[in-house]
């Protein structure tokens, strides 16, 4: 059974930081890409950061320079370090996996993910 369990969300003031974690189990991650998605109220779900099968990272322009995606524990844990948060970052954040997947370049906006977690809420106040 595939499980993706996010944690680390919460409420923070603008300019603050949060670190999200996602523990992934039940899926072979050897040829997989992993990402963080978010969905604000009344908005479409969007991919904000992706790490491909080779460890290369891609970011949406809205978070580039502020967010950092990384892996741990043999790829079974996915992290998102979020700095310089703004109210526009308020959303439910989801980790996601797509496989098979190798190297990724260009936009991550249209990638269809095979698995997603239940999400963790991030609220940024001004």
């Amino acid at each position: 059974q595939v499980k993706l369990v996010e944690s680390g969300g919460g409420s923070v003031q603008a300019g603050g930081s949060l670190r999200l974690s996602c523990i992934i189990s039940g899926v072979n991650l050897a040829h997989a890409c992993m990402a963080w998605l978010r969905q604000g109220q009344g908005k479409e779900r969007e991919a904000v950061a992706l790490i491909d099968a080779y460890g290369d990272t891609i970011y949406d322009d809205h978070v580039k320079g502020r967010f950092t995606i990384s892996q741990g524990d043999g790829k079974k844990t996915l992290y998102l370090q979020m700095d310089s948060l703004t109210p526009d970052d308020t959303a439910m954040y989801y980790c996601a996996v797509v496989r098979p997947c190798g190297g990724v370049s260009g936009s991550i906006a249209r990638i269809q993910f095979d698995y997603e977690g239940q999400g963790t809420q991030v609220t940024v106040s001004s």
Side-chain angles (χ1 to χ4, degrees):
Q1 181 182 3
V2 179
K3 286 188 178 179
L4 288 75
V5 181
E6 302 94 338
S7 62
S11 297
V12 64
Q13 288 192 327
S17 299
L18 283 173
R19 189 189 195 210
L20 306 184
S21 300
C22 176
I23 298 175
I24 304 166
S25 61
V27 59
N28 188 332
L29 299 174
H31 302 286
C33 297
M34 286 166 269
W36 286 96
L37 318 178
R38 71 182 181 187
Q39 186 167 17
Q41 193 167 7
K43 299 180 181 179
E44 293 188 356
R45 192 169 297 190
E46 60 179 356
V48 296
L50 178 141
I51 186 164
D52 71 16
Y54 304 107
D56 295 325
T57 57
I58 303 173
Y59 298 93
D60 178 81
D61 286 344
H62 293 101
V63 307
K64 196 174 295 181
R66 301 188 297 120
F67 289 12
T68 304
I69 188 172
S70 62
Q71 295 168 317
D73 190 22
K75 297 187 176 181
K76 295 179 182 179
T77 305
L78 187 68
Y79 301 103
L80 185 68
Q81 177 67 40
M82 306 186 293
D83 299 318
S84 302
L85 286 161
T86 75
D88 288 341
D89 296 317
T90 295
M92 186 72 81
Y93 284 73
Y94 305 86
C95 68
V97 173
V98 56
R99 64 180 304 273
C101 180
V104 176
S105 61
S107 173
I108 59 176
R110 298 204 191 314
I111 295 176
Q112 297 293 316
F113 293 91
D114 298 309
Y115 308 103
E116 297 180 11
Q118 294 298 306
T120 185
Q121 177 68 37
V122 171
T123 302
V124 184
S125 58
S126 57

